[in-house]
Amino acid sequence: MTGPTRIWRSSLRWASTPTASPSNGAAWSQAAGNGTGFDVIAITDHIINSDCVIGRFAGYSNQTVTRGNFDEYMAQVASEAARAWERYRMLVIPGAEITKDYFREKDAAHLLLLGVSRFVSADQPWEAILSQGREQGALIVACHPHRTDHEVIDTLYFWNNREKYAHWFDAWEVANRTDLFAVVSLNNYPIIANSDFHKAKHLYSWKTLLPCEKTLDSVMACIRDNRGVAITLFRNGTSKD
Amino acid sequence: MLTTILEGMLAASAATSLLQLGCTAWALAKGSRKATRGVAHLPPVSILKPLKGVDDGLMDNLESFCNLDYPEFEIVFCLQSPSDPALRVVRKVAERHPGCDIRVVIGHCFDGMNPKVNNMIPGYLESRHPFVLISDSNVRVRPDYLRKAIVYFADPEVGMVNHLVRGIGARTLGARLENGHLNGFILGSIATMDGMFDLPCVVGKSMLMRKTDLGGIGGLHEVRDFLAEDYVLGRLVRKAGKRIVISADAVDNVNRYRTIREFLSRHARWNRMRLAIAGPGYLSEIFANPVFFALLLLLASGGSREATMAAGAVVLCKFGTDLAMGMLLGAPDALRLALAGPLRDLMVAGIWFSAFFSRTVTWRGRVLRITRRSRLVPVGETSDAGIFGARPGTPKEVAA
């Protein structure tokens, strides 16, 4: 056999519930591990900008990871990663979703930093955020880059400025929950599918299939290389559910 | 002298057509006897459906698999882009068949030169059952198709079950040419090679295998660079000491609105492929075309009365065999397909010659050279990468 013998089903990008930040790790890793057969998940709580009322509200209501609680968040993720591996042989990747929310969709954008270890503030220009992510060796992913069925305000900034930013991204979300962004594929960008898990129903969504070893380095390298990466619509294995 | 040789070739060619008809009739009769036998164990099967665009009757084709009378199976729809219009059809099919185990895998796999194999690799790796059925999107089956096919695996020596293919549903001249060629030459040749020479020619429209057997020969990766991945798979299965069964329970290949250009283009590619595989054996194919020799005889004899009569008789004989073949296969438009036969045979003769002058094919924007056993080697890329942008190469490279 010259090709990969096993594809790891990954549900990348799980965020904590809006009311519990830093993440309530046990809840999601249990949800992911319990009989769903996922091999890899990423925990990516929001780090939200404070230069808009949306971000400020998130800060007041304790729905964002901040410089102050980042270490606690990472410690929780690390502890949960150990438990998930022990119990389910499931790899948990620490990450963050850098969130710049504005009222105009052309200004709003989210990006993921996977494998992040140090705090990256959302209150700085995108170039600074991206270079800090890259310095840490994090995998950089453009989130829901086109029109969705679920976002109140779509996040189109990166798509509208893709020629400027494309070289920064290791992958673009071609699917988020049940939304598909055909434009990403048409542009031949490297792809990934994410659950954007906030509620239990988001478990049933597009997932990424990775033909690689189940280690952090292999998963990151596989997404970067993007050869053989595939996505599948998870319905607990069937369309029945 | 020349006319005498041509008369001999004409007679041989007419005999070949009759032989193909006889072998097809025998294969179909044998198949119907085999199909009556039952089997106690029906193992779960993963059905791989590589999709690219919307084929004629795609919805009905896919639904025919959802309606299979079989205890446990999954259908893995494989696509290479979320912008592929086939995805909408798949979602509709999934909605209409909530009880059917349907999975969709959209892959970014560009491992090999063969886009169909690239399309299937992620779905194959994700499939769960011990048997895998590779089935093209333009294939339609009857509910008992899988039950009949799995019967053969009661014999552990059987490594693959392949099916005869029947073209149906033509509404244009191009589609009639296509279906007539499938039902006449292609199906007849497969039945003859299998029945007379015990040389099963595998056609990838429907291939059922044990996963252990497929894994044992290297999996789909092993054939990712071949144009005739089906033929190479068959060859590897035989090399592994397993037997291939050509099931006479013919599957339907729906060709409704094919154009003449599409017919010519597809069979030019197939002919180049067969030349690369068969080498000198390819020369024998022309003997299945009596209409071509009838024309040659007419030209060589200057239209003499005897030659005209002989040619006319042979063309009539070929019309009869085409009609009989269509009727044997239960094709509702057998007469129409047979009436298009002479035109088809002349075009096919042209295609047959064209294979000697070109060894390249253009596939999804890429120019590929066909080498030994149909292995594909890239020559260059055209400006057109296809509407889905599925240009081979890593996506990262393209993005950069």
Side-chain angles (χ1 to χ4, degrees):
Chain A
M1 185 88 177
T2 50
T5 53
R6 177 80 167 88
I7 277 189
W8 300 115
R9 183 185 294 144
S10 61
S11 179
L12 298 165
R13 194 142 101 83
W14 290 54
S16 63
T17 57
T19 52
S21 192
S23 291
N24 175 6
W28 26 249
S29 70
Q30 216 163 338
N34 255 345
T36 54
F38 291 117
D39 301 292
V40 184
I41 65 167
I43 310 296
T44 58
D45 271 22
H46 292 272
I47 298 178
I48 306 177
N49 61 326
S50 62
D51 59 347
C52 177
V53 69
I54 304 170
R56 280 201 292 276
F57 176 77
Y60 296 145
S61 55
N62 197 27
Q63 292 182 36
T64 174
V65 175
T66 61
R67 196 179 295 278
N69 64 19
F70 182 77
D71 290 342
E72 187 192 345
Y73 163 67
M74 291 304 283
Q76 278 197 13
V77 173
S79 140
E80 210 44 47
R83 198 176 72 88
W85 183 258
E86 178 73 24
R87 187 169 292 187
Y88 307 115
R89 282 286 173 268
M90 183 173 72
L91 186 67
V92 174
I93 301 174
E97 180 172 353
I98 309 297
T99 306
K100 278 183 178 259
D101 278 337
Y102 297 102
F103 288 109
R104 295 194 306 181
E105 60 187 22
K106 72 185 181 75
D107 296 330
H110 294 191
L111 69 77
L112 289 182
L113 298 177
L114 301 182
V116 73
S117 55
R118 295 189 301 278
F119 181 74
V120 176
S121 170
D123 290 326
Q124 49 185 343
W126 280 118
E127 283 78 1
I129 292 168
L130 290 159
S131 56
Q132 282 173 30
R134 189 165 278 182
E135 277 165 24
Q136 294 189 42
L139 195 84
I140 305 175
V141 181
C143 303
H144 35 76
H146 214 260
R147 303 234 173 253
T148 68
D149 287 339
H150 65 268
E151 292 287 333
V152 179
I153 301 169
D154 283 325
T155 51
L156 304 182
Y157 179 75
F158 286 134
W159 188 256
N160 291 342
N161 296 281
R162 58 190 177 280
E163 289 185 6
K164 181 177 173 187
Y165 288 105
H167 72 280
W168 285 100
F169 293 115
D170 296 299
W172 294 68
E173 282 186 0
V174 73
N176 180 289
R177 295 187 190 156
T178 53
D179 287 317
L180 275 170
F181 310 113
V183 288
V184 169
S185 178
L186 285 167
N187 273 267
N188 273 304
Y189 288 145
I191 60 161
I192 202 173
N194 279 328
S195 320
D196 203 352
F197 181 92
H198 286 73
K199 296 176 183 169
K201 67 177 183 180
H202 300 152
L203 187 64
Y204 302 108
S205 55
W206 286 96
K207 310 293 179 198
T208 311
L209 302 169
L210 301 169
C212 64
E213 300 289 313
K214 195 158 51 174
T215 64
L216 178 63
D217 288 345
S218 295
V219 166
M220 305 260 281
C222 180
I223 294 170
R224 281 201 173 97
D225 182 57
N226 225 248
R227 280 176 206 266
V229 169
I231 64 169
T232 185
L233 186 58
F234 178 68
R235 286 282 182 269
N236 201 15
T238 76
S239 62
K240 292 175 207 171
D241 305 284
Chain B
M1 175 65 180
L2 179 63
T3 53
T4 310
I5 293 170
L6 283 172
E7 278 168 7
M9 288 175 137
L10 186 61
S13 182
T16 305
S17 289
L18 288 168
L19 181 68
Q20 284 188 333
L21 176 65
C23 287
T24 305
W26 182 72
L28 292 173
K30 189 177 71 166
S32 64
R33 282 199 302 275
K34 179 82 182 177
T36 57
R37 295 180 204 165
V39 65
H41 177 54
L42 297 170
V45 176
S46 294
I47 300 171
L48 285 190
K49 276 273 171 197
L51 303 174
K52 176 82 171 76
V54 180
D55 293 301
D56 293 339
L58 182 63
M59 184 90 178
D60 292 337
N61 299 347
L62 302 184
E63 285 197 310
S64 73
F65 284 84
C66 298
N67 294 327
L68 281 174
D69 173 23
Y70 198 81
E72 192 178 357
F73 65 95
E74 64 172 356
I75 308 175
V76 185
F77 293 111
C78 308
L79 298 108
Q80 283 204 298
S81 168
S83 60
D84 194 319
L87 183 58
R88 296 180 72 118
V89 180
V90 166
R91 288 184 137 180
K92 191 77 190 165
V93 169
E95 268 174 36
R96 285 166 54 102
H97 297 271
C100 192
D101 188 351
I102 289 173
R103 318 175 82 195
V104 185
V105 175
I106 303 175
H108 237 208
C109 176
F110 301 99
D111 283 3
M113 294 291 146
N114 184 321
K116 179 182 159 188
V117 177
N118 284 345
N119 193 1
M120 285 191 295
I121 284 173
Y124 170 64
L125 294 172
E126 185 60 6
S127 63
R128 296 172 303 182
H129 294 321
F131 278 77
V132 61
L133 170 70
I134 295 172
S135 167
D136 279 2
S137 55
N138 54 13
V139 165
R140 194 175 295 176
V141 295
R142 286 173 287 282
D144 60 354
Y145 148 80
L146 200 47
R147 274 178 185 270
K148 285 181 176 175
I150 209 81
V151 166
Y152 295 99
F153 287 98
D155 177 356
E157 292 301 307
V158 171
M160 180 193 280
V161 174
N162 193 224
H163 286 81
L164 292 178
V165 181
R166 176 182 77 150
I168 63 157
R171 293 192 185 163
T172 60
L173 178 60
R176 266 179 217 125
L177 297 172
E178 176 74 34
N179 289 348
H181 194 51
L182 282 178
N183 297 353
F185 173 74
I186 303 285
L187 191 145
S189 299
I190 293 169
T192 307
M193 292 293 279
D194 188 40
M196 294 282 294
F197 307 107
D198 196 24
L199 282 173
C201 301
V202 174
V203 175
K205 296 281 171 201
S206 165
M207 299 185 288
L208 179 60
M209 303 178 75
R210 286 184 201 88
K211 249 191 188 163
T212 48
D213 291 338
L214 185 50
I217 59 174
L220 289 175
H221 271 81
E222 202 61 27
V223 297
R224 66 190 188 275
D225 288 328
F226 291 91
L227 177 60
E229 82 286 344
D230 42 8
Y231 159 80
V232 178
L233 271 178
R235 195 173 160 274
L236 291 171
V237 167
R238 282 203 303 276
K239 211 170 158 187
K242 296 275 184 172
R243 206 156 60 80
I244 293 171
V245 172
I246 306 285
S247 167
D249 181 37
V251 296
D252 290 336
N253 181 354
V254 181
N255 292 300
R256 204 164 276 168
Y257 299 107
R258 195 165 281 264
T259 62
I260 294 174
R261 190 177 168 178
E262 284 169 337
F263 163 73
L264 292 172
S265 153
R266 183 192 208 189
H267 289 286
R269 193 175 78 224
W270 283 21
N271 276 45
R272 283 173 214 160
M273 182 176 80
R274 290 202 299 273
L275 175 59
I277 291 167
Y282 177 74
L283 295 170
S284 64
E285 280 192 11
I286 197 67
F287 284 97
N289 194 338
V291 175
F292 167 67
F293 286 110
L295 180 70
L296 281 189
L297 181 64
L298 273 179
L299 293 174
S301 68
S304 73
R305 190 164 175 270
E306 294 78 15
T308 308
M309 284 183 68
V314 166
V315 170
L316 209 60
C317 167
K318 180 66 178 13
F319 170 79
T321 56
D322 283 348
L323 185 62
M325 192 79 98
M327 289 166 75
L328 267 178
L329 291 168
D333 53 353
L335 180 62
R336 285 184 173 186
L337 297 188
L339 284 170
L343 172 65
R344 185 190 69 232
D345 286 345
L346 291 178
M347 291 171 109
V348 165
I351 297 171
W352 183 83
F353 277 108
S354 76
F356 294 103
F357 300 102
S358 174
R359 280 291 180 98
T360 60
V361 288
T362 304
W363 206 349
R364 301 200 190 165
R366 203 164 208 199
V367 184
L368 302 162
R369 184 173 166 76
I370 309 169
T371 62
R372 200 169 128 77
R373 292 208 179 102
S374 86
R375 184 183 284 277
L376 295 166
V377 177
V379 174
E381 285 188 18
T382 66
S383 57
D384 173 23
I387 59 166
F388 308 118
R391 187 195 294 274
T394 75
K396 199 71 183 291
E397 283 162 5
V398 178

